[in-house]
């Protein structure tokens, strides 16, 4: 299977190979060089998740009604890190 290197040094892994090795977005590949041969080993595969799996990860303990637009995720994370 032939592929072309882009100006940024990127290549597309053929779909047949991605499927066979379970390579999905976010997977990490470890490259090594042996002579003029490049080896790529799948080091970490990222399991796909759904939106539902994130339910309950962020909790607002402040009283009163909240709207999604009122919730600043970055601020909540900073506040959580500042707590003893």
């Amino acid at each position: 299977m032939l592929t072309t290197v882009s100006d940024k040094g990127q290549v597309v892994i053929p779909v047949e190979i991605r499927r066979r090795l379970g390579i999905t977005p976010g997977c990490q590949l470890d490259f090594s060089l042996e002579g003029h041969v490049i080896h790529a080993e799948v080091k970490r595969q990222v399991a796909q998740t759904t939106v539902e799996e994130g339910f309950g990860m962020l909790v607002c303990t402040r009283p009163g009604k909240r709207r999604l637009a009122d919730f600043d995720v970055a601020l909540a994370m900073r506040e959580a890190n500042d707590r003893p």
Side-chain angles (χ1 to χ4, degrees):
M1 290 177 236
L2 188 64
T3 187
T4 303
V5 178
S6 74
D7 292 338
K8 293 182 179 182
Q10 299 169 326
V11 296
V12 174
I13 301 170
V15 68
E16 297 85 13
I17 294 174
R18 292 193 317 261
R19 285 182 183 150
R20 186 169 174 189
L21 297 177
I23 299 173
T24 58
C27 282
Q28 291 184 343
L29 301 178
D30 183 26
F31 288 92
S32 61
L33 186 61
E34 189 175 308
H36 292 289
V37 178
I38 299 171
H39 296 276
E41 181 181 348
V42 180
K43 290 306 246 185
R44 183 173 66 100
Q45 295 179 336
V46 179
Q48 289 188 329
T49 60
T50 63
V51 173
E52 292 78 18
E53 291 177 84
F55 181 78
M57 289 179 67
L58 297 175
V59 178
C60 181
T61 57
R62 295 180 183 159
K65 289 187 178 183
R66 299 278 179 237
R67 297 177 311 165
L68 186 56
D70 296 332
F71 191 68
D72 183 343
V73 176
L75 178 62
M77 291 175 73
R78 280 194 301 272
E79 289 175 351
N81 287 335
D82 291 341
R83 291 185 200 135

